DNA sequence: ATCGATCGCTACGGTACCGTAGCGATTCGC
DNA sequence: GCGAATCGCTACGGTACCGTAGCGATCGAT
């Protein structure tokens, strides 16, 4: 038999992580059981333990496996960049497989230091992307340097996360645009009026 | 012995609910066990089952037991009312004992219809309070009737919930005021400029 | 004071999951 | 191809929790 494209070890690893993602999305982190992962993945429980020493590690790697880093655009327009940025980020993190895990992940992160670091790192990264977009706008004079960037990121992220996680409503492009436009409108008159030059 | 102020049944009920709140805050809804509630409350497991037929019911009643309805002020100033409204609501729901349960509660609500109704009802009620405040401002002409009230409530609630649940940072009065002021600034110029008459 | 209701306590069988071990079968590196 | 590593499978003892039952003690209403 020829050597397959992916080794057996890799194939096993993928199957296990895939089943883990499905299970966490379905029953949550707390009720995730290795037995069930073994059943769904078709991988023996003993083999799972050979690859992942603990449930904690398994979940962390499963999250990593379905985490994608969205592109940060630089169109020259703050509005366009923010919409693009938040559209990419929210759809990557709060929809699809990762989105289905997110709530349970955040809950478990309150008690698990490892998961806490993971979730916090992802949150911080998303905030950094948005911060970059805002600081570029400041650099080119589109927005006043007096802008409270951190608050603005919260004003932008909050409503979207709240809509998805708490209200469990879809994150439409219309909503993202409406949030961005509303916050930009606030920036326009925010500090002393006419701070946004464009 | 004289008849106590509260009957034994009431005292038992309180002890059980109290221990349940503590435990849910500590280990989450999923890992809540009746055995542990019995240990912490000093109430026998069999007695707990006499009062609460299932863990589901127990959690729901425990949440009800530490839920308070904040007052909705009517100062005549939209800004003051919003700050007062969100200050009361967020501190009632996202801080203290209920706040410690909230994340786990929302996670469990994704899989438990009963908890889902409970969480959704609380969210809807908070939104209704904020909606009332905004509609009163519209009625007295402080804000244009064209205002998208639902979006505005999301713009106000989102950043606060996000700050508390996702970032796990304290909800200071400064933050609440900053969010309210930012959103109000956006409303001012939001639709056609100068919609806020005051 | 009495008597029924309630409670604390203990124990039970049943279930689910843990993490490990042994042993053929399969696969991979050489 | 051949040896070694890996895997699937089964089984194991141990733990935690479930929901129920029995029984003596306590409480509460009359």
């Amino acid at each position: 038999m020829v050597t397959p494209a992916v080794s057996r070890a890799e194939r096993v690893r993928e199957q296990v992580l895939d089943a883990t993602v499905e299970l966490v999305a379905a029953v949550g982190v707390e009720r995730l059981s290795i037995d069930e992962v073994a059943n769904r993945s078709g991988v023996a429980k003993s083999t799972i333990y050979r690859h992942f020493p603990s449930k904690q590690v398994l979940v962390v790697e499963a999250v990593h496996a379905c985490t994608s880093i969205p592109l940060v655009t630089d169109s020259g327009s703050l509005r366009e960049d923010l919409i693009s940025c938040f559209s990419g980020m929210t759809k990557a993190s709060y929809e699809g497989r990762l989105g289905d895990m997110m709530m349970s992940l955040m809950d478990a992160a309150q008690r698990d230091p490892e998961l806490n670091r993971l979730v916090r790192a992802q949150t911080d990264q998303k905030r950094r992307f948005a911060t970059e977009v805002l600081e570029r706008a400041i650099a080119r004079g589109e927005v006043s340097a007096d802008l409270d960037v951190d608050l603005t990121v919260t004003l932008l992220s909050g409503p979207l996360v709240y809509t998805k996680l708490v209200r469990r409503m879809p994150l439409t492009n219309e909503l993202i645009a409406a949030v961005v436009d509303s916050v930009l409108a606030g920036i326009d008159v925010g500090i002393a009026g006419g701070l946004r030059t464009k």
Side-chain angles (χ1 to χ4, degrees), chain A residues 121-197:
Chain A
Q122 295 212 354
T123 304
D124 288 347
Q125 194 192 39
K126 289 194 219 84
R127 288 185 69 88
R128 239 175 286 125
F129 283 147
T131 299
E132 282 176 24
V133 169
L134 285 169
E135 285 179 346
R136 275 209 309 267
I138 292 175
R140 64 175 176 260
E142 192 174 348
V143 172
S144 164
D146 290 349
L147 181 70
D148 188 336
V149 174
D150 221 55
L151 173 63
T152 304
V153 173
T154 296
L155 290 174
L156 289 164
S157 309
L160 299 179
V161 174
Y162 167 79
T163 296
K164 188 61 189 177
L165 288 188
V166 178
R167 304 194 74 195
R168 259 180 268 151
M169 290 171 62
L171 291 177
T172 63
N173 292 328
E174 289 73 28
L175 178 69
I176 295 175
V179 170
V180 169
D181 286 335
S182 300
V183 173
L184 288 184
I187 292 176
D188 277 336
V189 298
I191 305 176
L195 290 177
R196 194 144 164 272
T197 57

Side-chain angles (χ1 to χ4, degrees), chain A residues 16-94:
Chain A
V16 171
L17 291 180
D18 206 71
T20 301
V21 170
E22 275 183 27
L23 261 178
V24 170
V27 307
V29 173
E30 308 283 2
R31 287 196 177 170
L32 176 73
S33 75
I34 306 294
D35 286 276
E36 193 59 28
V37 173
N39 289 338
R40 292 217 189 184
S41 64
V43 175
K45 194 167 58 161
S46 48
T47 304
I48 295 177
Y49 277 105
R50 285 192 196 102
H51 286 262
F52 308 96
S54 69
K55 193 168 90 175
Q56 196 185 99
V57 173
L58 179 59
V59 171
V60 169
E61 306 236 3
V63 171
H64 278 306
C66 60
T67 297
S68 61
I69 298 175
L71 294 178
V72 177
T73 61
D74 188 0
S75 68
S77 158
L78 176 57
R79 179 177 187 274
E80 299 309 316
D81 282 354
L82 284 178
I83 290 177
S84 155
C85 175
F86 278 96
S87 178
M89 290 196 303
T90 56
K91 274 156 193 172
S93 290
Y94 296 106

